[in-house]
Amino acid sequence: MRFNFTKEIPRVYDAMLSLDATITQANPDRRLVHLTKIRVSQINGCAYCVNMHVKEAQQDGLPDMLLHLVAVWPETSVFTARDRAALAWAETLTRLEGSEVSDADYAVARAELSTQEVAALTASVAMINLWNRMATGARLPA
């Protein structure tokens, strides 16, 4: 581990925990939150977060088959239309790479999710991207 941000910047860490708890409360569909946190963490190469979120998803009863296949979700039929919309939205927001989020991407999300769900999921994806960057920067072990 390079550094322990809970010790080096405890106020920032506490604020992140508080914001994360608020965002979690805004997302009533835990399944979508688990799947998107795992997928975003995979994209960002954050082994610590993938490990943690897979365990949390298992504790909440998500089937192992889903957890094994989330990395290849477009290639399998085990995910619901809502899952697919959430995963596509999460990937779009995570893979910005200098591009904008298109109306077409938003329309895919809105086809399955309410405006409130898209807003809450957007906050959740932003939060896990922040956690991933903190964990990979600190090089937290899986």
Side-chain angles (χ1 to χ4, degrees), residues 2-18:
R2 291 178 174 149
F3 57 87
N4 181 338
F5 56 87
T6 63
K7 286 204 294 195
E8 301 299 331
I9 50 170
R11 290 180 53 199
V12 171
Y13 179 73
D14 290 343
M16 288 172 60
L17 286 176
S18 178

Side-chain angles (χ1 to χ4, degrees), residues 1-5 46-49 131 134-142:
M1 181 165 53
R2 291 178 174 149
F3 57 87
N4 181 338
F5 56 87
C46 185
Y48 179 87
C49 292
W131 283 118
M134 295 294 285
T136 58
R139 197 174 276 159
L140 297 182

Side-chain angles (χ1 to χ4, degrees), residues 5 25 33 51 96 102 124 140:
F5 56 87
Q25 291 173 355
V33 171
N51 186 44
L96 290 175
S102 73
S124 181
L140 297 182

Side-chain angles (χ1 to χ4, degrees), residues 5 13 16-17 20 24 30 33-35 37-39 41-42 46-60 62 67 127-136 140-142:
F5 56 87
Y13 179 73
M16 288 172 60
L17 286 176
D20 196 13
T24 297
R30 297 293 302 148
V33 171
H34 287 306
L35 293 175
K37 283 183 176 183
I38 293 165
R39 184 63 189 131
S41 297
Q42 290 170 338
C46 185
Y48 179 87
C49 292
V50 169
N51 186 44
M52 178 176 60
H53 293 299
V54 165
K55 288 176 182 176
E56 290 174 352
Q58 288 171 323
Q59 290 171 351
D60 278 354
L62 265 71
L67 304 178
M127 191 74 221
I128 192 58
N129 271 288
L130 175 57
W131 283 118
N132 290 164
R133 281 148 180 78
M134 295 294 285
T136 58
L140 297 182

Side-chain angles (χ1 to χ4, degrees), residues 84-107:
R84 298 174 83 69
L87 288 162
W89 185 245
E91 286 200 17
T92 295
L93 296 176
T94 300
R95 298 180 191 269
L96 290 175
E97 300 164 0
S99 64
E100 67 179 33
V101 178
S102 73
D103 290 339
D105 293 329
Y106 178 70

